[in-house]
Amino acid sequence: MPIPFETLLPYGIMIVMFGATGTGLAALKTWHNEGKNPRYSLDQWDRQMQQRDRRLTGSITGQVAQAVAPPGFELNNPWKLEKRYS
Amino acid sequence: MSTRRPQFNQTVLIDTTPLPDDIPKVQEVGASSAPLLSASYFIGARCRDYNDDYMQCKNENPGRGEFECLKEGRRVTRCASSVIEDVNKHCLEQFTNHWKCLDNHNHQLWQCRPFEWRLNKCVFDNLKLEKKIPDQPQNVIPVEQRPQQIFADRKFRSIEGKPFVPGQEAKQ
C-alpha cells in the first residue's frame, strides 16, 4: 500500500529548517573567522598576540610577514583606562 | 607595565606622542603572530646572544629595565627583523606555506610538520640556521624530527616528505 505524500511533508519541513539554520551558522562562523579554522584554547599570550595582529593588519585573524612594521605601528598601542575609585 | 590589569575599562588612550629625539629610532618587527611563531626557532638561533644580553640587563635593573635596556632592546628588534627579512628573501614559498598552515591549525606546530621540514631544510641550506629546541634530553629523537606526531589530527603520509635532520643529507 503506497504511503500518501502528506506523510512526507513534515520530514521535508524538518530537513529544510535544520538545513537553513545549519548553513546559516556555518556561514556566520566562516565570516567571523575570515575563512580560517577558528582558534581555541587561547591563553593570555595568544590574546595579546591577536591584539597585536589587529594593530598590524586590521583584524585579529589577519596575518602578515613583513620584516618591518608600517610607520605609526609603534605609536598605536592603546592604554586601557579605568575610572579611579577613591 | 603595571602588574595589575585594568578592571571594567571602557575607554582606551592611544598616545601618539613620538619618543624624544635623544632616543635612537628602531623599526619595529612587522610580522604578525603566525609568521613569528614559524620563524621563532631561527630567530632564537641567530639572536641568542642579543636576547641573553637583554634578559641579563633586565635582571640587573629590576623595575627599571624599560629605561636602562633600550640599547639591548633595539638590538633584539633589529636582529629578529633581519631574520624575518632573510627568510622572506630566501625561503618565501616554504615560509608562507608553513605559517599559513599554522594559522589554519590553531598555531599548533605539531599539525604542520611536513611544511616545517621543508622550511627547516631551506633555511639550513641558505641561511645556516638550525632549529634546535634547547634543554631537550639527548637520548630521544627531537620531537620535530619524528615522522609522526602523537597529537596531530592526521597521519602524515610518506610522500609529504621525510623529517629533516641537519647534516644528514650531506652524508648521503
Side-chain angles (χ1 to χ4, degrees):
Chain A
M1 194 170 114
I3 305 173
F5 77 93
E6 288 90 344
T7 321
L8 301 174
L9 286 181
Y11 290 99
I13 292 172
M14 283 194 285
I15 288 169
V16 168
M17 289 300 184
F18 278 112
T21 49
T23 313
L25 284 174
L28 180 68
K29 193 171 161 186
T30 308
W31 172 76
H32 185 250
N33 292 302
E34 300 181 358
K36 298 166 184 169
N37 288 337
R39 302 287 307 271
Y40 55 90
S41 305
L42 299 183
D43 58 8
Q44 192 66 28
W45 170 260
D46 292 325
R47 285 181 205 287
Q48 73 91 15
M49 287 310 279
Q50 282 186 326
Q51 291 309 313
R52 187 175 173 277
D53 294 350
R54 191 180 50 76
R55 286 168 55 204
L56 273 169
T57 65
S59 79
I60 60 170
T61 51
Q63 301 290 340
V64 66
Q66 307 155 346
V68 168
F73 171 74
E74 68 274 19
L75 297 177
N76 67 4
N77 195 11
W79 298 79
K80 286 184 179 174
L81 302 183
E82 63 176 0
K83 280 223 172 69
R84 187 70 185 243
Y85 297 103
S86 58
Chain B
M1 190 185 288
S2 66
T3 50
R4 182 178 152 281
R5 279 158 55 193
Q7 309 290 325
F8 305 119
N9 71 299
Q10 303 283 326
T11 51
V12 294
L13 168 72
I14 296 180
D15 187 3
T16 53
T17 314
L19 282 175
D21 286 333
D22 55 321
I23 297 177
K25 299 282 184 289
V26 65
Q27 302 224 283
E28 298 288 332
V29 180
S32 60
S33 51
L36 273 183
L37 176 64
S38 174
S40 55
Y41 286 96
F42 310 126
I43 294 175
R46 184 185 279 181
C47 309
R48 175 155 197 169
D49 296 341
Y50 297 115
N51 296 345
D52 286 350
D53 275 355
Y54 181 67
M55 291 318 288
Q56 188 186 0
C57 174
K58 294 268 278 191
N59 283 335
E60 286 170 357
N61 299 286
R64 285 193 54 82
E66 286 81 4
F67 300 102
E68 311 290 340
C69 304
L70 280 170
K71 189 173 76 176
E72 287 81 2
R74 284 192 291 274
R75 286 178 184 156
V76 168
T77 306
R78 272 197 294 268
C79 181
S81 195
S82 79
V83 174
I84 300 273
E85 190 184 349
D86 284 351
V87 174
N88 261 333
K89 197 188 294 173
H90 294 285
C91 302
L92 181 63
E93 187 195 341
Q94 290 90 342
F95 184 48
T96 311
N97 282 339
H98 187 225
W99 67 253
K100 287 205 164 151
C101 174
L102 284 177
D103 191 26
N104 218 6
H105 287 93
N106 200 24
H107 293 214
Q108 290 168 330
L109 286 168
W110 59 86
Q111 310 274 19
C112 301
R113 293 294 182 206
F115 296 108
E116 188 192 315
W117 296 331
R118 274 170 240 150
L119 175 65
N120 285 355
K121 177 169 167 35
C122 175
V123 170
F124 186 74
D125 291 347
N126 288 304
L127 304 176
K128 303 282 173 278
L129 296 177
E130 180 185 341
K131 170 168 179 176
K132 198 166 176 55
I133 305 178
D135 301 332
Q136 292 298 298
Q138 297 293 318
N139 54 354
V140 292
I141 303 174
V143 65
E144 77 273 16
Q145 292 168 8
R146 296 175 196 164
Q148 297 296 334
Q149 304 285 315
I150 293 173
F151 291 111
D153 289 342
R154 65 191 180 87
K155 233 168 133 33
F156 301 131
R157 288 172 298 164
S158 55
I159 56 164
E160 287 179 286
K162 281 199 184 69
F164 171 68
V165 184
Q168 206 180 62
E169 308 263 317
K171 272 186 273 174
Q172 287 170 355

